[in-house]
Amino acid sequence: MNLKSPYKIIVGMIHVGALPGTPHNQSSVKEIVKKAVSEANLYQNAGIDAIMIENMHDIPYLNKEVDHEITAAMAVIANEIRRNISIPLGIQILAGANKQALAVAHANDLDFIRAEGFVFSHIADEGLMNSCAGELLRYRKLIGAEKIKIFTDIKKKHSSHAITSDVSLLETAKAAEFFLSDGIIITGNRTGEAVEPADLAGLKSALKSPILIGSGITADNIETYWHQADVFIIGSHFKYDGKWTNDVDIERIKTFMSKVKNLRQ
């Protein structure tokens, strides 16, 4: 994945079903895997450039950890998807279980992870989340997983950033870059909410790192953000009625990718 090439990358989200031990779990791991693989094939066949899997249905999340059954299930899901698709594949394990995500990615030949809490501290839904950059990158080195990219949220959604209110978005991005982030993820305030275009102003020219937009991209606004980022991570918009809890809607994907095709030309 050459994220700094002129070719913009579209990442489709797979929100895997609620996993064993979580409040909403109603399906076996086998059933969850089957649905996730089906969605992965749908994305690949629709021309999506990359896929990311995430345990978003596991609400409420733990803070920077998950129990062993979650890591094991995500590893099984990642393995089956990797066996069935050829496009790049990444993973996020909520909330902030970045070491577990990296371990799963390394075991299954994935390409990237999405990491929360990389630099500075913030108050998330789950509580205080502190910086993990030093620990996470040392762990990546320790297990020989340097080829796996770590894309990092800054000033992330569903969080209060009052304790770093004197640190601008740009300065936070520069700190993440200094701490060796492989890509900077910018989001709106919550899932499905678009980024304020003003927040992106000047980021691409000030940073060497790729810029990823991690929420709120739709067929209606992709043109607005097209030249301000390198990668667009899309979940809610690809679901029926634009709601992340619903199933993937192939017609919404086709409409979106048609718009992307025109922008690429």
Side-chain angles (χ1 to χ4, degrees), residues 52-67:
M52 182 162 65
I53 62 175
E54 179 186 67
N55 61 323
M56 194 161 173
H57 287 276
D58 286 359
I59 49 178
Y61 313 117
L62 299 174
N63 189 340
K64 298 190 74 172
E65 61 177 293
V66 291
D67 292 326

Side-chain angles (χ1 to χ4, degrees), residues 129-149:
M129 193 172 288
N130 288 319
S131 168
C132 69
E135 184 179 1
L136 184 62
L137 267 64
R138 281 164 174 78
Y139 181 65
R140 181 171 68 173
K141 183 72 172 181
L142 176 67
I143 65 174
E146 292 96 329
K147 71 173 185 177
I148 298 170
K149 302 294 185 184

Side-chain angles (χ1 to χ4, degrees), residues 55-157:
N55 61 323
M56 194 161 173
H57 287 276
D58 286 359
I59 49 178
Y61 313 117
L62 299 174
N63 189 340
K64 298 190 74 172
E65 61 177 293
V66 291
D67 292 326
H68 300 305
E69 66 274 9
I70 302 302
T71 305
M74 290 295 277
V76 171
I77 295 165
N79 178 265
E80 287 302 308
I81 293 176
R82 179 75 289 167
R83 290 177 59 246
N84 280 273
I85 66 168
S86 58
I87 59 178
L89 178 62
I91 186 171
Q92 179 175 24
I93 300 183
L94 300 168
N98 302 323
K99 276 190 174 181
Q100 291 91 332
L102 191 57
V104 171
H106 185 47
N108 291 287
D109 197 27
L110 306 193
D111 301 277
F112 62 92
I113 71 166
R114 180 175 181 173
E116 302 174 73
F118 191 71
V119 290
F120 294 103
S121 297
H122 65 270
I123 307 296
D125 296 353
E126 303 81 24
L128 178 65
M129 193 172 288
N130 288 319
S131 168
C132 69
E135 184 179 1
L136 184 62
L137 267 64
R138 281 164 174 78
Y139 181 65
R140 181 171 68 173
K141 183 72 172 181
L142 176 67
I143 65 174
E146 292 96 329
K147 71 173 185 177
I148 298 170
K149 302 294 185 184
I150 298 177
F151 302 138
T152 61
D153 279 282
I154 61 168
K155 301 274 189 179
K156 74 175 290 292
K157 58 190 177 181

